[in-house]
Amino acid sequence: MSEPLFIETIKVKDGIFYNLPLHIARLSRTAIQFFGSAPLLELSEDMIPEALREGVVKCRVVYGSQIVSVEFEPYSFRRISSLTLVEDNTIDYAYKSVDRSSLNELYSRKASGDDVLIVKNGLITDTSYANVVLRNEDGFYTPKSYLLGGIKRQYLLEKGVIREVEVSLDNLMSFSKLYLINAMIDLEDEIGISISDLKTL
């Protein structure tokens, strides 16, 4: 049986790797949890294809007990105009695994939405590829009930830009906007929707 594989997706802008210490720390935690030790991840601008040393680029690292591959590709935002609420009380995606079958199954239920907003045990978690930040008149918040501890989420919490709060289906409408964040998407990119644009199946 082959060993499980995991991913780190790292933002690179004009040849600079963003939040690299946080990515390396998560890689190490995951590898130690599954394999007992962590592979060494060394990244430098020299590894980036010359044509991709300007602009925003996605660096995709696949690893198990060793680094399997490091790939670079141009990045462009997926525009989101609506999300479909889907419920799954058993989903578990605590580690950024190559195996996204459980998320893909939920994504297939998005109907006319651009992505899904996953509800677990009545609580708001993530979309299929991003953590979420909710806004009301008091500021920016992120659900305590997230599925994956995202690097951008961790960074914004550490900086005090967002705060954790319990977000349920019952209090979701007390927020006005929902934003998607991940390693590639910043809060100021404003990839998100009004809460009123959430769809239910």
Side-chain angles (χ1 to χ4, degrees), residues 63-95:
Y63 68 97
S65 56
Q66 302 297 323
I67 303 297
V68 174
S69 63
V70 179
E71 299 174 341
F72 298 89
E73 62 180 65
Y75 181 77
S76 58
F77 293 116
R78 285 168 58 182
R79 288 292 161 188
I80 299 292
S81 59
S82 62
L83 296 171
T84 302
L85 285 161
V86 297
E87 191 164 3
D88 186 333
N89 294 334
T90 62
I91 188 166
D92 181 7
Y93 193 72
Y95 298 95

Side-chain angles (χ1 to χ4, degrees), residues 10 17 20 24 41-47 59 61 70 72:
I10 304 165
F17 293 85
L20 191 53
I24 290 173
L41 176 63
E42 294 183 301
L43 297 173
S44 68
E45 185 176 352
D46 294 341
M47 301 171 65
C59 172
V61 179
V70 179
F72 298 89

